[in-house]
Amino acid sequence: MPIGRKLREEALATKGFMPPNEGDALYAAACLACKTLPGLALVELGTYCGRSTVWLGAAARKYNTTLFTIDHHFGSEENQKGWEWYDESLADPTTGRLNTLPLLLETLRRTQLGDAVVPIVGESKVVSAQWSQQLAMCFIDGGHGDEPARDDYLGWTPKVALHGLLAIHDVFADPGDGGQAPHRFIYLAALDSGEFTEISATGSLRVLQRINGSSS
Ligand code: SAH
Ligand code: MG
């Protein structure tokens, strides 16, 4: 079953970078993960204003589990002033610095997904270092530089439970299509580890499943 029409419209009305067909694929993957590993949580890295969060949160609510969505809310490099994906309306008038937290809270209010979605405001690496629960699914869409991509891979993939899913956004095999860090340091790293196998590809979204290896 696809996501309900109203929630899908709310997702599409939310600022962000998740194309509709990839959001639908993310929802399907999240539902599969929840069915496979009942009760285990979902984690999203890179909330921004909560666009992809709506698809993931809808799945979490349907299966009675929780989505933790993690972001420091200051934006990635490419969201800063002078860069390609800068949105001036998201700048904090006092500091001038990007702040997407108010819009995330507004998205959760509009969608009434607050009972299934827990925002964590912080640096991905700091949170992963203290995170001990196994996950049904981890969706990585945070920093796309080499270092943050490596950190997210090392910090979060060990938390994905056996048969759980690792979804990665902005995976581009061809450098002409986009930055290489998610492809090289997350997607290929996961496949090369022998611990994951690919189960679907939609646009730049890749969904892998853990087939072996211990989770921590
Ligand atoms: N998933 C969103 C888009 C995320 S954009 C959508 O569907 O629209 C990437 C986000 O990752 C930005 O909001 C940025 O603040 C966050 N981010 C980048 N590096 C991070 C890090 N190291 N820790 C936490 N958040 C980070
Ligand atoms: Mg993305």
Side-chain angles (χ1 to χ4, degrees):
M1 273 266 283
I3 188 172
R5 187 183 53 82
K6 270 197 78 180
L7 275 177
R8 190 173 193 270
E9 276 170 13
E10 292 294 358
L12 299 181
T14 305
K15 272 184 199 277
F17 306 103
M18 182 55 59
N21 62 327
E22 296 175 42
D24 292 341
L26 192 63
Y27 177 79
C31 288
L32 173 64
C34 292
K35 263 187 265 183
T36 308
L37 293 159
L40 293 194
L42 316 176
V43 158
E44 170 177 59
L45 306 171
T47 319
Y48 199 62
C49 303
R51 185 174 165 105
S52 45
T53 312
V54 178
W55 276 283
L56 291 170
R61 188 171 68 184
K62 182 171 174 186
Y63 288 93
N64 249 313
T65 185
T66 305
L67 167 70
F68 294 91
T69 185
I70 301 167
D71 200 310
H72 47 47
H73 287 282
F74 293 133
S76 299
E77 196 176 42
E78 62 273 20
N79 306 126
Q80 305 307 316
K81 200 169 184 157
W83 288 70
E84 190 180 358
W85 298 107
Y86 177 62
D87 181 341
E88 198 174 356
S89 70
L90 297 176
D92 183 316
T94 322
T95 60
R97 194 170 185 192
L98 204 78
N99 177 12
T100 49
L101 183 57
L103 272 184
L104 168 66
L105 297 179
E106 173 56 21
T107 302
L108 294 181
R109 189 197 60 75
R110 269 194 291 117
T111 55
Q112 298 182 314
L113 284 171
D115 54 344
V117 179
V118 177
I120 298 181
V121 181
E123 172 66 40
S124 168
K125 200 175 172 176
V126 174
V127 182
S128 69
Q130 298 296 336
W131 192 281
S132 52
Q133 299 295 311
Q134 291 197 10
L135 302 174
M137 173 167 168
C138 180
F139 170 53
I140 304 186
D141 191 21
H144 288 353
D146 291 1
E147 202 180 317
R150 273 202 200 95
D151 287 346
D152 282 344
Y153 177 75
L154 293 172
W156 288 102
T157 53
K159 322 289 185 195
V160 177
L162 185 61
H163 307 308
L165 302 185
L166 172 65
I168 311 154
H169 200 226
D170 302 303
V171 173
F172 300 110
D174 180 349
D177 293 334
Q180 292 294 286
H183 178 258
R184 196 175 307 153
F185 299 121
I186 307 174
Y187 172 74
L188 289 183
L191 290 177
D192 290 349
S193 73
E195 296 182 2
F196 290 89
T197 189
E198 182 164 334
I199 62 167
S200 77
T202 310
S204 74
L205 179 73
R206 297 289 175 278
V207 180
L208 313 185
Q209 182 168 38
R210 180 179 283 283
I211 46 170
N212 62 59
S214 64
S215 59
S216 62

